[in-house]
Structure formats: C-alpha cells, structure tokens
C-alpha cells in the first residue's frame, strides 16, 4: 500500500461520493480507479458493461488485472467503412 497525492478538489469529490454511496473514502477512490482502468482497457464498453465485467470478476473470485484483460467483454467493432464518391 502506498500514498497517492491528489488535489483538494478531488478529495472533496471523493468525500461527497463516499458519503452518498456509503463507502470509505479509500474504497470510493479505488472504485473510481478501477472504473477508469477498465475504461482504458475496454474503450468500447459503457459504464453498465464495465459494472457487469466487475460483477463477473467478483463471481469468479478473481479481481486481478489478468481477469479484466481476458476476452470477457464483447469485441469492439470498428465503424463500417463508407464508400466515398470522388467528385471532379
């Protein structure tokens, strides 16, 4: 465990959210960090999908980074290419 320095504003936001959601300040910070990490690992997922991913990890008894990098989420599909007409 280490010390992470954050801004006073972020600390105030953590305190407010932790009070509202009945979590400790540390638990709220860890929750937000986990959501942010998963958002970066799976940019195509919405918040609800990320919550489901976290629920599956908890049910599987594994909340390690290895679990979250597995192909549990639906693959992110690229937008279809649109044919462009060149006007001359």
């Amino acid at each position: 465990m280490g010390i992470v320095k954050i801004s006073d504003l972020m600390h105030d936001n953590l305190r407010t959210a932790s009070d509202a959601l009945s979590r400790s300040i540390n638990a709220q910070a860890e929750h937000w960090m986990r959501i942010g990490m998963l958002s970066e690992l799976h940019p195509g997922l919405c918040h609800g999908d990320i919550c489901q991913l976290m629920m599956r990890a908890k049910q599987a008894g594994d909340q390690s980074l290895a679990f979250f990098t597995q192909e549990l989420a639906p693959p992110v599909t690229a937008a279809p290419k649109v044919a462009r007409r060149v006007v001359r």
Side-chain angles (χ1 to χ4, degrees):
M1 177 160 61
I3 295 176
V4 176
K5 293 186 179 194
I6 59 173
S7 68
D8 289 338
L9 177 59
M10 181 57 74
H11 192 268
D12 291 342
N13 291 335
L14 278 167
R15 178 174 283 126
T16 300
S18 69
D19 286 343
L21 299 171
S22 300
R23 295 181 177 133
S24 69
I25 292 176
N26 287 346
Q28 184 63 43
E30 187 172 334
H31 174 72
W32 280 351
M33 286 187 281
R34 188 177 296 118
I35 294 290
M37 177 189 73
L38 291 172
S39 294
E40 288 184 350
L41 290 173
H42 303 283
L45 298 182
C46 68
H47 181 261
D49 293 335
I50 289 171
C51 290
Q52 287 181 7
L53 186 62
M54 290 169 46
M55 296 274 291
R56 284 185 273 184
K58 183 69 171 178
Q59 288 172 340
D62 184 2
Q63 292 182 280
S64 67
L65 183 59
F67 183 89
F68 292 120
T69 57
Q70 295 172 13
E71 292 298 322
L72 296 174
V76 177
T77 57
K81 292 190 177 193
V82 178
R84 293 191 175 135
R85 197 174 110 199
V86 177
V87 179
R88 295 182 190 188

